[in-house]
Amino acid sequence: MTNSIKTYLLLAVLITITLFAGEALGGEHGLFIALVMSLVMSFGSYWFSDSIVLSIYGARELSPREAPELHGIVEELAQAAGIPKPRVCLIPSASPNAFATGRGPGHAAVAVTHGILQTLSMRELRGVLAHEIAHIANYDVLLSTVVATLAGSLSMLSRMVFWFGAGLGSANDREDGQNPLLAMVMMILAPFVALLVQMAISRNREFLADETGARLSGDPTALASALARIHSGIASYPMRDVEPATSHMFILQPFDGNGLLDLFSTHPPVRERINRLYEMARSVSTTNGFRPFGFAL
């Protein structure tokens, strides 16, 4: 089974969980609310995903005049990937990070923070941008945004139960055996299961984007170096006011995770990603492919 098939199966699981949670929380009315919510939010995330996510983090589009070197790198990498050049946006945050969003090539944007521009060298930044271009070329951006939207809808259902009680359905629903205990269990478990699905999808796609991005840039260790610096920078300057449903879209988890939080990270371990990139560089060092550059962690 290919990674793409596995990913879309996981997406189907998340939609099913949303519908089941709606029914458990409110009977037929809850199921209807969950169905409408899933359809509306999925439709909205398809057509307006880039605008929605960028607005959450206060990003603004940069013109080529404002950032000529940045635009030059993005254009070069987009040509290498065979996709239209995405828009380039800036997030006003001191925390070093980046993400890509949109509904696919031709309707996408890459966003970088102030912090990442101040933290990385241009070579390292090129490695990061190659990773984000890879997400666009692999059609990950639409999937990750829809997953974020559906995960958010589950959280909304849970909050509705918290504020309005476990009986979202009609009186007939409750008389027909609607179980308040089941509703409370779903209120607790549904967001947790949604997180597990996000983790399964994101970890898989991050490894693929690392590999694809390294091939686009021709420099696997540039991305390895960048990941180490970003990881260190996030520990010092974690991003504030992160929307949990969108945290998996960043190249690294935007807040510092330690201990138990690491177990529920939507991203693979940084060390494992770096090791894979170095192994990739070593495997082709004797060919006409990549020329690895040294970097000491």
Side-chain angles (χ1 to χ4, degrees):
M1 186 182 296
T2 65
N3 287 336
S4 295
I5 293 175
K6 291 179 182 178
T7 300
Y8 285 102
L9 283 175
L10 287 170
L11 180 58
V13 169
L14 185 55
I15 295 174
T16 302
I17 293 169
T18 304
L19 299 179
F20 181 72
E23 183 178 23
L25 296 173
E28 292 183 1
H29 283 68
L31 177 61
F32 178 75
I33 291 172
L35 177 61
V36 172
M37 189 179 297
S38 296
L39 292 176
V40 170
M41 297 186 77
S42 295
F43 178 83
S45 66
Y46 178 82
W47 289 105
F48 308 110
S49 57
D50 50 349
S51 300
I52 292 171
V53 178
L54 291 171
S55 65
I56 288 174
Y57 294 102
R60 69 175 183 87
E61 187 170 354
L62 290 173
S63 69
R65 180 178 298 178
E66 290 179 281
E69 195 167 6
L70 194 61
H71 273 268
I73 294 173
V74 171
E75 184 171 9
E76 171 212 340
L77 293 170
Q79 288 178 352
I83 64 171
K85 177 188 172 187
R87 292 182 294 138
V88 180
C89 299
L90 181 66
I91 302 170
S93 172
S95 183
N97 226 314
F99 65 78
T101 186
R103 63 177 185 267
H107 300 88
V110 293
V112 296
T113 64
H114 276 296
I116 204 171
L117 297 179
Q118 297 170 347
T119 301
L120 303 186
S121 68
M122 292 310 297
R123 172 179 162 259
E124 292 166 335
L125 184 61
R126 183 171 176 270
V128 168
L129 291 171
H131 172 98
E132 300 306 334
I133 294 292
H135 274 310
I136 297 171
N138 292 337
Y139 287 84
D140 293 339
V141 286
L142 174 61
L143 178 64
S144 64
T145 305
V146 171
V147 168
T149 303
L150 291 174
S153 70
L154 274 171
S155 296
M156 288 176 61
L157 281 172
S158 296
R159 285 195 291 267
M160 288 170 66
V161 172
F162 179 81
W163 289 110
F164 300 111
L168 293 178
S170 65
N172 289 335
D173 290 331
R174 293 189 290 272
E175 290 173 2
D176 289 340
Q178 183 69 22
N179 189 337
L181 179 60
L182 175 61
M184 294 303 295
V185 170
M186 286 303 300
M187 182 182 72
I188 297 171
L189 288 184
F192 177 72
V193 174
L195 173 62
L196 294 180
V197 174
Q198 281 182 283
M199 288 168 56
I201 290 176
S202 297
R203 292 186 176 209
N204 179 43
R205 307 313 288 181
E206 289 304 315
F207 282 132
L208 180 59
D210 283 348
E211 179 181 350
T212 305
R215 295 188 182 281
L216 287 175
S217 67
D219 188 2
T221 56
L223 179 55
S225 170
L227 290 175
R229 292 187 189 277
I230 294 170
H231 181 65
S232 177
I234 291 173
S236 300
Y237 301 99
M239 187 172 286
R240 306 298 180 188
D241 301 322
V242 176
E243 175 58 45
T246 63
S247 63
H248 66 282
M249 299 179 68
F250 288 88
I251 191 168
L252 281 183
Q253 183 171 272
F255 40 81
D256 186 25
N258 293 304
L260 185 61
L261 286 177
D262 282 336
L263 296 177
F264 300 105
S265 172
T266 56
H267 292 69
V270 178
R271 173 63 61 178
E272 184 176 353
R273 293 174 67 181
I274 291 173
N275 289 342
R276 286 191 181 203
L277 288 163
Y278 274 110
E279 181 60 33
M280 186 178 180
R282 284 191 294 269
S283 68
V284 294
S285 61
T286 58
T287 70
N288 293 327
F290 313 126
R291 291 185 59 195
F293 294 81
F295 177 71
L297 292 176

